[in-house]
Amino acid sequence: MPDVTVSFTDAQWARIVAASPNIKDSINDTGDVDAAYLAAKWKSEVTRLVQAYERQQASIDDF
């Protein structure tokens, strides 16, 4: 399985950390965003997008 690497400048990372409350999904999920959080969030989002695509393809194939 391929690894994906994303790099941010220090200034970009500072902006991401400052936006942590908006990036985190739940009001109960407090604290700063870190690399592990972003990796899990992006993996979950990509999984959701792939599943939506597969459902769409399955409904097209039904015709």
Side-chain angles (χ1 to χ4, degrees):
M1 172 169 46
D3 290 332
V4 176
T5 301
V6 178
S7 298
F8 298 103
T9 65
D10 288 341
Q12 289 169 322
W13 188 251
R15 292 176 68 203
I16 290 167
V17 171
S20 289
N22 280 3
I23 295 170
K24 294 221 171 171
D25 292 328
S26 169
I27 198 162
N28 297 325
D29 191 3
T30 59
D32 290 342
V33 167
D34 60 11
Y37 180 87
L38 286 181
K41 184 173 183 73
W42 289 338
K43 184 176 181 179
S44 175
E45 179 64 13
V46 169
T47 298
R48 186 189 65 75
L49 292 170
V50 169
Q51 289 171 342
Y53 167 78
E54 291 171 342
R55 279 192 300 278
Q56 180 185 32
Q57 293 306 304
S59 65
I60 290 171
D61 292 342
D62 288 343
F63 288 106

